[in-house]
Amino acid sequence: MTTVEHAASTQPARRPAGFRPSPTPRDPATGPAHGDDEPETRAVTRVSPSEAAPTAATPTAATPTAATPTAVVPAAAPAAERTTLAVALPEGTTVAVPRHGTPPSAPEATTVATRRPDGPAVAATTVVEARPAACPVTGHGRSGGHPPPPGVPDERAPEPVDPAAAEEFLRQVYAETEPEMPFTERLRQVRGEIDRTGLYSHTGHELVFGARVAWRNSARCIGRLYWKSLQVRDLRRLHDPADVAQESVGHLRAATRDGRIRPTMTVFAPDGPGRPGPRIRNDQLIRYAGHRNADGTVTGDPAQADFTDHVVGLGWPRPQPRGRFDVLPLLITGADGRSRLFDVPPDAVHEVLLRHPDLPWFAQLGLRWHSVPAISNMPLEIGGVTYPAAPFNGWYLDTEIGARNFADTDRYDLLPEIAQRLGLDTRSVRTMWKDRAMVELTRAVMFSFDADGVTMADHHTEAERFLTHLAREESAGRSCPADWSWIVPPMSGAQTPVFHRYYDEPDPQLRPAFLEPTRTP
């Protein structure tokens, strides 16, 4: 019987710095309650230049100085459009946060939260304005904001579980495995839960089986041979964004293992009638920011430029100077519809510095990439139950980084630079300069991961293994849908066996499955 990994206790572990839950906004008259680890705060009044000069009895908002850097946050938004930011601030940093509810004509009441020089290394928590513009991840703003457009499911109001979907899944579980409880008894139990609550709770065995089969059903994944090895972290009790952030970092640490990458999934609270589950808005737990420059170029990953602008609008301070590999914060929405930002601790981001086995100059390019590709915004559906936050990872394929992330023109677009360094003639594509540059770039990726002892698959070996998986599925009497455009590697495709055959068409109704994140055109 399969087992599921549980946390040791019913309460989340002590949160590291940067992952405290934000205090619930309170009325300005009462002020927030402070514990021993809270940043010191004081109330001040911002006075416009046209008003009388301040006196000792009229404190003003903190003025930026070299000794006390200040981050001024935009004017407060209505409660329904608020978001919360949790970041670790440098010693002495002051954050000015306008309080909501202040009449526009009145002097603006502001809370200033300053990190104590002698205080604990915890994040200052601030409430900042959320832009009304659509979120680049969901396409229609945060849960709790304006409603989605017609035809897009409303994530704020989950539907009850379909009993037929639950029964279909249970029949699959009992057909492929041997649970301890008799089928008829389990089915009666599940139907009763759905009748009472609109939801039912999977057993640990069902959760693991469903998660693994969702990977087995993933038509775009070439690495499905290992579907039975997926480790599942059962954290369905966690709803709060701070807990989700902490355990998402825990996921990275559990999966990384100093480079010996383990296929891992962490399952957080499901959607239920009247209570949506938490949602991670990042498409992967680790992504590099894309900083737009005045000349139209992007420093970093252009694919993340919209998301970067979005989190900056929510209060995330861009690193200075802007780099090509600045790790983005996690943006997580809770059941209350409020989204909050959390920095990913540097020690949870395992990276590989790239170098080339034959080209000494390659290391001077300063390239790097993170070791764990943890998809985080695809809901997991098992037996009619949707788990909107269920980050999962395998390990990288060499061409994912070398032939796509670094080579695509809408990503890092490094082929021209590599070709120039190689001394290739780039005046015509007929010289095959792109092909030659891509091969050397991918060689560097493979060599660097191998040299650092970080798990990585190569496209030739993985193609062979996929056909092994295909044969096993066929011998088990199961269909193995595959998206040819994803299964065939983006480099040397015709030199791999997956190129030379057809596959069963992907079935969008196949369950269990990872679902596409909700987007608008």
Side-chain angles (χ1 to χ4, degrees):
M1 179 172 177
T2 54
T3 59
V4 60
E5 180 179 335
H6 294 275
S9 69
T10 58
Q11 296 297 324
R14 180 178 177 85
R15 299 188 183 106
F19 291 94
R20 290 185 301 109
S22 302
T24 302
R26 295 172 172 82
D27 186 86
T30 61
H34 298 295
D36 293 338
D37 60 347
E38 292 286 345
E40 292 179 342
T41 62
R42 59 189 177 89
V44 300
T45 301
R46 183 180 299 165
V47 181
S48 66
S50 61
E51 295 179 292
T55 66
T58 309
T60 60
T63 302
T65 65
T68 307
T70 300
V72 180
V73 185
E81 296 186 0
R82 237 181 355 254
T83 191
T84 306
L85 172 67
V87 295
L89 299 178
E91 184 173 300
T93 300
T94 301
V95 180
V97 187
R99 285 179 176 164
H100 67 280
T102 304
S105 58
E108 188 174 13
T110 303
T111 297
V112 179
T114 305
R115 180 185 176 191
R116 298 190 300 265
D118 58 345
V122 297
T125 302
T126 65
V127 180
V128 299
E129 178 186 18
R131 288 184 175 179
C135 172
V137 178
T138 64
H140 61 262
R142 296 175 312 286
S143 173
H146 50 278
V152 176
D154 190 346
E155 65 182 33
R156 302 169 303 172
E159 296 289 331
V161 170
D162 180 0
E167 180 175 347
E168 181 181 7
F169 171 66
L170 289 178
R171 291 189 181 279
Q172 183 179 15
V173 173
Y174 279 78
E176 295 190 33
T177 68
E178 298 180 355
E180 296 178 358
M181 182 181 296
F183 172 75
T184 53
E185 182 179 346
R186 177 60 179 150
L187 180 59
R188 182 169 58 251
Q189 187 181 75
V190 166
R191 285 174 174 171
E193 285 188 60
I194 295 174
D195 288 343
R196 292 191 304 272
T197 67
L199 184 66
Y200 72 101
S201 179
H202 290 122
T203 65
H205 175 75
E206 291 165 358
L207 182 70
V208 172
F209 176 79
R212 290 174 175 173
V213 173
W215 185 9
R216 187 179 79 190
N217 289 340
S218 183
R220 292 180 171 180
C221 180
I222 195 175
R224 285 177 273 169
L225 178 64
Y226 321 104
W227 66 275
K228 291 183 179 180
S229 70
L230 180 68
Q231 301 295 304
V232 178
R233 304 173 71 232
D234 183 1
L235 297 175
R236 288 176 286 172
R237 69 184 185 278
L238 299 185
H239 294 79
D240 184 80
D243 294 332
V244 173
Q246 177 189 336
E247 291 300 338
S248 294
V249 171
H251 175 112
L252 291 173
R253 292 183 170 129
T256 301
R257 298 195 305 164
D258 199 30
R260 296 174 293 113
I261 311 302
R262 170 185 287 170
T264 302
M265 176 186 292
T266 298
V267 183
F268 295 106
D271 279 339
R275 184 172 188 179
R279 282 164 167 76
I280 303 172
R281 302 305 187 179
N282 311 61
D283 60 1
Q284 291 194 24
L285 295 181
I286 302 174
R287 278 300 199 192
Y288 297 123
H291 305 290
R292 300 186 197 274
N293 301 315
D295 61 1
T297 61
V298 174
T299 298
D301 189 349
Q304 298 298 317
D306 287 345
F307 188 80
T308 302
D309 289 344
H310 186 64
V311 297
V312 167
L314 297 179
W316 183 62
R318 294 184 191 268
Q320 297 297 334
R322 302 177 181 184
R324 289 187 295 173
F325 303 101
D326 297 329
V327 177
L328 285 162
L330 298 176
L331 177 60
I332 302 175
T333 304
D336 60 359
R338 295 180 60 186
S339 294
R340 292 157 63 180
L341 292 170
F342 299 88
D343 281 336
V344 180
D347 65 351
V349 183
H350 191 282
E351 296 179 303
V352 175
L353 302 181
L354 301 190
R355 57 271 195 202
H356 194 282
D358 303 322
L359 305 171
W361 53 261
F362 197 97
Q364 300 172 10
L365 298 175
L367 303 179
R368 65 178 64 198
W369 204 259
H370 57 91
S371 304
V372 180
I375 307 299
S376 53
N377 68 340
M378 297 182 70
L380 169 67
E381 184 179 321
I382 302 174
V385 178
T386 299
Y387 299 96
F392 64 95
N393 70 274
W395 46 71
Y396 269 116
L397 192 66
D398 57 348
T399 52
E400 288 184 79
I401 301 173
R404 296 300 308 276
N405 297 347
F406 280 142
D408 285 358
T409 55
D410 59 351
R411 298 295 297 279
Y412 280 79
D413 193 21
L414 292 176
L415 295 186
E417 182 177 0
I418 301 296
Q420 182 182 20
R421 295 266 193 163
L422 290 169
L424 303 180
D425 182 358
T426 61
R427 292 174 295 177
S428 170
V429 293
R430 295 175 67 85
T431 65
M432 304 294 176
W433 66 267
K434 290 186 177 182
D435 308 72
R436 296 170 66 185
M438 183 181 291
V439 167
E440 298 306 328
L441 183 53
T442 306
R443 279 188 70 200
V445 170
M446 188 85 259
F447 171 80
S448 303
F449 271 67
D450 284 349
D452 285 5
V454 177
T455 307
M456 169 172 278
D458 71 87
H459 53 293
H460 294 285
T461 302
E462 211 58 44
E464 294 281 357
R465 290 175 177 171
F466 180 73
L467 294 188
T468 299
H469 167 70
L470 191 65
R472 289 181 181 178
E473 290 301 291
E474 290 175 347
S475 66
R478 294 191 291 261
S479 172
C480 184
D483 187 331
W484 190 94
S485 65
W486 281 71
I487 296 300
V488 175
M491 186 178 80
S492 306
Q495 296 303 308
T496 64
V498 294
F499 179 90
H500 302 280
R501 60 163 296 158
Y502 296 103
Y503 303 94
D504 294 334
E505 288 293 321
D507 180 2
Q509 303 305 317
L510 191 61
R511 297 292 186 273
F514 301 111
L515 310 181
E516 290 293 325
T518 303
R519 295 176 185 269
T520 56

